[in-house]
Amino acid sequence: MELNLDYLIKTFFLAITGIPTTLEITIVALLVATPISFFMAIYKIYNVKIIKQIITAYVSVIRGTPIVLQILIVYSLLPSLFNMAVKSMGWNWDVFSMNPIIYAYIVFSLNTIAGLSEVFRSALLTVNTGQLEAAHAIGMTTVQAYTRIVIPQALVVAMPNICNLTVNLIKGTSLAFMMTVKEITSIAKIEASFGYNYIESYIDIFLIYIIVCSITQLLFSLVEKHFRSYKSITKAS
Amino acid sequence: MLEINNIHKAFHKNEVLKGVSIKVNKGDVVVILGPSGSGKTTLLRCINFLERADRGEIIFDNLRVDINTASSQDISRIRKRTAFVFQNYNLFNNKTALENVTEGLIVARKVPKFEAIEIAKRALNKVGMSDRIDYYPSKLSGGQQQRVSIARAIAVNPDVVLFDEPTSALDPELIGEVLGIMKQLASEGTAMVVVTHEMSFAQDVANHIVFMDDGVIVEEGHPKDVFSKPREERTKRFLSRILPYSDYDI
């Protein structure tokens, strides 16, 4: 077996152009999921009836099915559903010409919501309720107590799990090629199919994900260090 | 100044407070005694709505609040006139000692930051924590944390400070430093309601003792009277268990 080095290098730089798309899906999913999963965590902690059961059911459905299956379902079901809706509203808009990245946003957001809500819930529970009571006792509102006292501490606890989830999300977006989204994996695979250079393409993909995920982990550890400052003895020393 | 009338509170079907009333005047040190499970802590928590009583009334000078109809403004008004010191200190772990004290001033009372820092430094100085203002709670001993939490309570200049077993979580050798500060506050005229098992504090500092058992006030009065000649059987039994060297006729 011989590696085509020229092809390998050329494709590496070509596949790199897929990084923005990969990051776009990741960031959109995180941005959509963060507020929703935060409130889901709060509803679950405060034991809001019915809503809590709906959330629990949602989380177990998402976590209990392979993401490949979710992609297949969303990608084969949603376009025709959208089309029906658009037709019934009488709009003149071609659903099937829509950028498929929209479906990637949807699948990965739904997934991230489920994962992140559990991360937030467990992190919020680590901050003892006494601090919330103390904040109430000195006249702070619940919102003030959460934004200034509870959430900053919960975030420190959640950071390693959020990092984990983000890295998994980045890797998971490689499945977006199934929805014809042009991200790292699909670009390299399409390139390989011309000259049957699959091994070279896979090596490229391999390297790119390692680089992207390592940088992500590094960034998270810096953020975590920053948040963790209150575990030191004094401020800024 | 502060009057609590006929407080009832039940958890599920277990009635913890069965109509309790107490009165606190300016400068009073009211100590609530009683066996565990008698409802002392619940009563204290009901005063500033950490626990919402089922029925009763709280009167603060001319602010009269019926617990059943209390609005969130009423609750916030009462909370701004009281301060609470917890058994487990409950300091904000992500804030330094100084920030723990300024937080309530800046966020809840909208005191300008520089002024809040001045007030906080004075409060921390009073509890002898001036040299630790930049420390985070995790690096302070229990006694030091409790002193910071007392500073946090007095900094907001409350009409009455509520102490919920402030020394119960402390190592024996650290109890003294906290009680010392409480004594000092009492001598300066800070009104307080204290739930404690420290009998020496009750005897020396309190000017009113409330003995509770089973959700009701069994006996109350000046410490001299309650400690030297308790009238009620239950008080005698409790005191003879807590103060083994005393002899009461039971």
Side-chain angles (χ1 to χ4, degrees), chain A residues 128 130-131 133-140 144 148-150 152-153 229-236, chain B residues 45 48 50 79 82 84 86 90-96 99 103-104 107-110 134-136 139 152:
Chain A
N128 61 337
Q131 292 185 55
E133 287 187 343
H136 281 150
I138 55 167
M140 286 162 79
Q144 288 169 338
R148 302 186 57 90
I149 310 294
V150 180
Q153 292 176 57
S229 60
Y230 73 84
K231 305 247 170 166
S232 57
I233 298 177
T234 65
K235 196 162 199 174
Chain B
R45 291 167 59 84
N48 74 343
L50 284 180
R79 282 179 176 163
T82 58
F84 205 98
F86 296 85
N90 289 342
L91 290 181
F92 307 134
N93 287 331
N94 59 333
K95 305 273 174 193
T96 61
E99 289 166 342
E103 196 69 9
V107 180
R109 286 174 176 73
K110 311 288 175 223
D134 285 329
Y135 279 55
Y136 283 100
K139 296 295 176 285
R152 176 171 71 178

Side-chain angles (χ1 to χ4, degrees), chain B residues 138-206:
Chain B
S138 60
K139 296 295 176 285
L140 298 172
S141 73
Q144 291 171 330
Q145 288 192 51
Q146 194 60 297
R147 277 147 68 190
V148 173
S149 106
I150 293 174
R152 176 171 71 178
I154 58 174
V156 295
N157 197 23
D159 291 335
V160 55
V161 185
L162 311 169
F163 289 86
D164 180 19
E165 306 199 23
T167 56
S168 297
L170 296 176
D171 291 341
E173 73 268 26
L174 300 177
I175 290 175
E177 61 187 71
V178 171
L179 287 181
I181 287 159
M182 291 170 65
K183 266 184 206 170
Q184 184 199 334
L185 290 178
S187 68
E188 289 166 8
T190 310
M192 39 193 173
V193 181
V194 186
V195 170
T196 187
H197 293 293
E198 293 298 323
M199 289 302 143
S200 63
F201 181 84
Q203 283 170 317
D204 303 343
V205 187

Side-chain angles (χ1 to χ4, degrees), chain A residues 108-153:
Chain A
F108 290 105
S109 295
L110 290 175
N111 241 281
T112 310
I113 288 170
L116 212 51
S117 75
E118 288 300 290
V119 170
F120 284 159
R121 190 179 65 91
S122 60
L124 287 169
L125 286 176
T126 61
V127 184
N128 61 337
T129 50
Q131 292 185 55
L132 185 62
E133 287 187 343
H136 281 150
I138 55 167
M140 286 162 79
T141 63
T142 305
V143 173
Q144 288 169 338
Y146 263 90
T147 50
R148 302 186 57 90
I149 310 294
V150 180
I151 294 175
Q153 292 176 57

